Amino acid sequence: MTLRLHAPGIDLALTLESGQFFRARALGGGWWRIPTHGRCLEASQDGDTLVVEGAEANFARAFFALDEEPAGPPRDPRVRPALDAARGLRILRQEPWECIAAFITSQVSNIPRISRNVEDMAEAFGRALGPGLPRAFPRPEELGTEADLRALGLGFRARYLVAAAAWAREVGTERVAGLATDELLGALQRIPGIAAKVADCIALFAYGRREVFPVDTWIRQAVTALAGRMTDARARQWGRERFGANAGFVQQALFVWARNGGISAPDDGPNGSGSSGAPPPRTSPRPRSRLRPGAR
DNA sequence: GGCCAGGTCCAAT
DNA sequence: ATTGGACATGGC
């Protein structure tokens, strides 16, 4: 069964490689394999049409958030370059438990490693989805012990993952789905290993809360370039107040933009204690990892 | 081979 | 309330 879904302006490759979801793999020919929500679908794009195999329309529309209003014009013209760089980006609606685990895994890491860690957890503990297919991400009760996870290379995150799995089993990810956003964030932050940044990512990428503005090292740099140095907590507020219902989208656009070298301002750590004397500005931002320039 | 990474927790101001 | 280190491992 092949689905053709109207997805105006979408850039599927950008969406799947923007660092919000870690299990999409390019199959070649513009096709992607996407294990999510306990199944494996395939997708490609034909202009404004999303072509999907292996899922029913309602499921695909929900995962790709196709019924959402596209982000309106930015209130702040300074983010225009970032939004241009991220044209076609969509925010997916991920499965909450996998999203929780993935963003715990993301701590002090990088996208290639996060992807590998998430894949390793699936291959080690997940249910088989079929011959030749990747495994599902393990359910909370299937995730291994802390020692198992350390053996997979998860490091200090292993303890947090085990705690989050216990929470997901005992409380359940659906129990908090109806909470107001700040209550949801509070509930998530009661899990050891989840603080503001990871909670924001989960609220944004799994619970559809587009009004949050997760602040990581890249966003810290972007906000510094746009509005000057401030603490992460302030930057988070700044983004929420400035971009309102679009904060999450703008944040992800800034993330893509910053990682692609859109920033030239220096950065000095999470608390904005910048050296008062003007430091020699780096002339080049540093040759950081690109977002695979070859990939569409 | 270092440096630093989609952070968080804890102890010491 | 703010701040510096520790935490495990691996990309580049």
Side-chain angles (χ1 to χ4, degrees), chain A residues 199-260:
Chain A
D200 280 350
C201 285
I202 295 162
L204 174 59
F205 297 130
Y207 289 102
R209 308 308 170 93
R210 303 299 191 240
E211 69 271 34
V212 302
F213 191 80
V215 175
D216 63 26
T217 57
W218 294 101
I219 299 303
R220 186 184 309 136
Q221 292 183 49
V223 171
T224 299
L226 293 171
R229 210 52 236 284
M230 61 187 90
T231 64
D232 288 355
R234 292 273 185 209
R236 177 172 180 277
Q237 266 313 108
W238 178 87
R240 286 179 71 150
E241 286 165 9
R242 178 150 302 243
F243 302 113
N246 286 331
F249 178 81
V250 172
Q251 183 274 166
Q252 194 60 13
L254 287 171
F255 178 77
V256 170
W257 174 71
R259 268 174 30 92
N260 279 293

Side-chain angles (χ1 to χ4, degrees), chain A residues 146-159:
Chain A
E146 179 176 342
D148 292 333
L149 294 167
R150 282 180 183 270
L152 284 184
L154 272 298
F156 62 85
R157 305 162 193 84
R159 184 164 63 89

Side-chain angles (χ1 to χ4, degrees), chain A residues 91-154:
Chain A
I91 307 289
L92 302 171
R93 181 168 311 231
Q94 300 182 221
E95 198 286 307
W97 157 242
E98 176 174 344
C99 189
I100 290 168
F103 280 91
I104 286 174
T105 298
S106 79
Q107 294 182 49
V108 203
S109 189
N110 51 72
I111 290 176
R113 184 182 176 192
I114 300 162
S115 302
R116 202 174 70 82
N117 285 155
V118 173
E119 199 67 39
D120 286 349
M121 285 189 275
E123 288 311 309
F125 308 118
R127 182 167 52 85
L129 292 177
L133 295 179
R135 289 174 174 269
F137 189 78
R139 302 166 174 285
E141 62 272 19
E142 295 172 327
L143 198 69
T145 64
E146 179 176 342
D148 292 333
L149 294 167
R150 282 180 183 270
L152 284 184
L154 272 298

Side-chain angles (χ1 to χ4, degrees), chain A residues 17 24-28 31-33 292:
Chain A
E17 291 204 303
R25 300 289 180 267
L27 294 173
W31 281 90
W32 294 83
R33 170 167 289 168
R292 300 184 47 167

